[in-house]
Amino acid sequence: MIEVKNLTKHYGSKKALDDISFTVNDGEILGFLGPNGAGKSTTMNILTGYISATDGEVLINGIDILDDPTAAKKEIGYLPELPPLYLDMTVKEYLSFVYDLKKCKIPKQAHLEEICKLVKISDVYNRVIKHLSKGYKQRVGMAQALIGNPKILILDEPTVGLDPKQILDIRNLIKRLGKKHTVILSSHILSEIQAVCDRIVIINQGVIAADDTTENLTKTVSDDLRYTARIDGPREEILKVIGTIPGVREVTAEMEREPGAYDYEIEVEEDSDIRRELFKRIAGRNWYMLGLKSNEMTLEDIFLKITMGSDVKIKSKPVDEDTHRKLMEQVDGAVAVANAVDIANAAQSAPDINESDGEEEEKADGGEM
């Protein structure tokens, strides 16, 4: 567990951190976000014992890192944005060197082999680090952080400079590590934070601006829920029918997007789910539902709104095919039979937004990931 209590840091007359407090629980993956100059790097440097605080305390599994930095650092595995690699060493030589520096008590060969297998660098174990790809170098950096089995991992921009497949590989690795370690993850790639982290802390201008799950932050920042439905049918009648659905606050018709089909912006009351009733009424009148999007805020929207105080445009996210199918099962049998083919075809045209959590098999080809 990491406990940050009333942390303050001054650089001369400038206050970089202003009495911030937060906790990272055992087995939790915490996303730590902030714009440039917000105090994020200062906080990370204090957490790892690189610099001291002006006031406040940081407890690493109950050990004050300012009072007993040596004991506290034994609990931490740290991957900085630029991994501290000795490029002329082989992977084996480098990890052996780090093992000796940390004065580990675990049997050396078995421990290093286990870590290499976990981060998938066994196939480059005897290669010189400078000849490895960016992705493999990042994995070697991750391996050095894991030496000694630290209970806490602090990862600063672990996916910077990687290609999409390498990012996915590192994301899956962090998820696996989160099952046995407490993890703080700092990244400017907000989609990675959203995909991996259990909780998010946003720092802005030296203070904690937000501390919650993405789902709860969305509810806090966004004060309404909207859907966009594309329906083929008589415009005025559709407006009247949707307007009578319980929970609908307001409905408006946008321009004609396809021949005979309009987009309808539907604002609903808090905690109202109109989707089943909407499908039922549209299908029951032999109209055609060509698409449905839930207008949810992304983490990027939340971040911008919190740190900039701006009214950001909420991005629409399509309802996936599985949800679409389940909704259709709620429609009365006779009506569903008449309209299922049209609605199913519309659902298949929506892009799949689900991200795979499964691991992809890696193959090393000349040191490239």
Side-chain angles (χ1 to χ4, degrees):
M1 174 184 284
I2 301 175
E3 299 171 86
V4 177
K5 300 180 179 179
N6 308 113
L7 202 62
T8 299
K9 177 65 177 179
H10 291 275
Y11 292 108
S13 60
K14 177 178 172 56
K15 184 180 286 187
L17 297 177
D18 187 4
D19 196 37
I20 69 169
S21 299
F22 64 91
T23 299
V24 190
N25 298 312
D26 292 337
E28 185 175 37
I29 303 179
L30 177 80
F32 192 57
L33 303 176
N36 291 333
K40 179 165 60 72
S41 295
T42 297
T43 304
M44 297 284 278
N45 286 333
I46 294 174
L47 292 181
T48 55
Y50 184 68
I51 62 174
S52 61
T54 303
D55 198 7
E57 61 180 352
V58 175
L59 301 180
I60 307 295
N61 287 333
I63 305 169
D64 192 320
I65 197 165
L66 302 179
D67 292 341
D68 193 351
T70 301
K73 288 178 183 179
K74 288 181 180 179
E75 303 289 318
I76 299 173
Y78 179 43
L79 175 65
E81 182 175 348
L82 297 176
L85 305 177
Y86 288 92
L87 300 182
D88 290 329
M89 288 183 173
T90 65
V91 173
K92 178 180 179 180
E93 291 169 342
Y94 172 69
L95 295 181
S96 177
F97 171 66
V98 174
Y99 176 95
D100 293 338
L101 282 180
K102 291 188 175 183
K103 300 179 181 179
C104 295
K105 305 296 184 183
I106 309 168
K108 188 174 189 177
Q109 182 175 347
H111 182 48
L112 295 184
E113 288 178 355
E114 180 185 9
I115 290 174
C116 289
K117 183 178 180 181
L118 176 63
V119 301
K120 297 184 178 180
I121 57 172
S122 300
D123 51 347
V124 295
Y125 193 49
N126 292 304
R127 296 199 57 179
V128 177
I129 293 174
K130 67 181 177 183
H131 294 149
L132 300 180
S133 69
K134 171 72 173 178
Y136 266 109
K137 288 176 182 175
Q138 203 74 359
R139 286 178 177 273
V140 174
M142 191 80 76
Q144 66 79 26
L146 290 169
I147 290 176
N149 285 336
K151 296 178 181 178
I152 293 169
L153 295 175
I154 298 179
L155 311 177
D156 191 3
E157 301 287 352
T159 59
V160 65
L162 303 186
D163 65 35
K165 182 184 182 302
Q166 293 168 345
I167 289 174
L168 180 61
D169 293 335
I170 295 295
R171 176 199 302 172
N172 290 332
L173 173 59
I174 293 171
K175 285 182 178 180
R176 293 199 303 274
L177 294 175
K179 296 177 181 179
K180 296 183 179 180
H181 303 266
T182 299
V183 180
I184 292 184
L185 173 61
S186 173
S187 176
H188 283 97
I189 305 176
L190 301 189
S191 60
E192 295 306 306
I193 296 288
Q194 189 164 9
V196 171
C197 296
D198 304 311
R199 200 173 102 243
I200 295 165
V201 168
I202 298 176
I203 186 171
N204 189 38
Q205 297 180 355
V207 299
I208 300 298
D211 181 356
D212 213 329
T213 63
T214 303
E215 181 181 359
N216 288 340
L217 286 175
T218 300
K219 293 177 181 178
T220 302
V221 174
S222 179
D223 55 5
D224 58 19
L225 176 62
R226 296 174 182 270
Y227 293 98
T228 299
R230 182 168 297 181
I231 304 171
D232 185 351
R235 180 174 177 271
E236 296 304 320
E237 291 184 45
I238 291 173
L239 283 170
K240 291 179 182 179
V241 168
I242 296 177
T244 61
I245 296 176
V248 171
R249 183 178 295 163
E250 183 181 1
V251 57
T252 56
E254 302 295 323
M255 63 183 295
E256 188 176 21
R257 301 294 182 178
E258 300 178 38
Y262 291 82
D263 279 357
Y264 297 85
E265 298 293 330
I266 308 168
E267 181 181 336
V268 302
E269 297 173 357
E270 187 176 357
D271 298 326
S272 295
D273 189 345
I274 66 164
R275 294 173 297 174
R276 291 175 178 81
E277 186 64 24
L278 175 63
F279 271 87
K280 184 176 180 179
R281 294 195 184 195
I282 296 304
R285 288 165 174 79
N286 289 323
W287 300 333
Y288 301 98
M289 179 77 73
L290 304 182
L292 180 66
K293 294 183 291 186
S294 173
N295 298 334
E296 299 178 359
M297 295 190 79
T298 66
L299 182 56
E300 181 179 347
D301 297 330
I302 295 169
F303 179 80
L304 290 174
K305 195 159 189 176
I306 289 175
T307 59
M308 300 179 66
S310 59
D311 292 327
V312 296
K313 184 177 181 180
I314 299 174
K315 297 179 180 178
S316 298
K317 184 166 66 172
V319 174
D320 59 84
E321 293 181 32
D322 186 56
T323 301
H324 199 290
R325 177 183 56 77
K326 291 178 180 178
L327 289 171
M328 282 305 303
E329 290 173 355
Q330 305 296 321
V331 181
D332 291 338
V335 175
V337 170
N339 296 279
V341 174
D342 299 284
I343 297 176
N345 288 338
Q348 290 173 2
S349 66
D352 185 5
I353 62 170
N354 292 327
E355 294 178 295
S356 172
D357 289 336
E359 295 182 28
E360 295 187 19
E361 183 179 356
E362 291 185 24
K363 295 183 179 179
D365 182 10
E368 296 293 324
M369 288 182 67

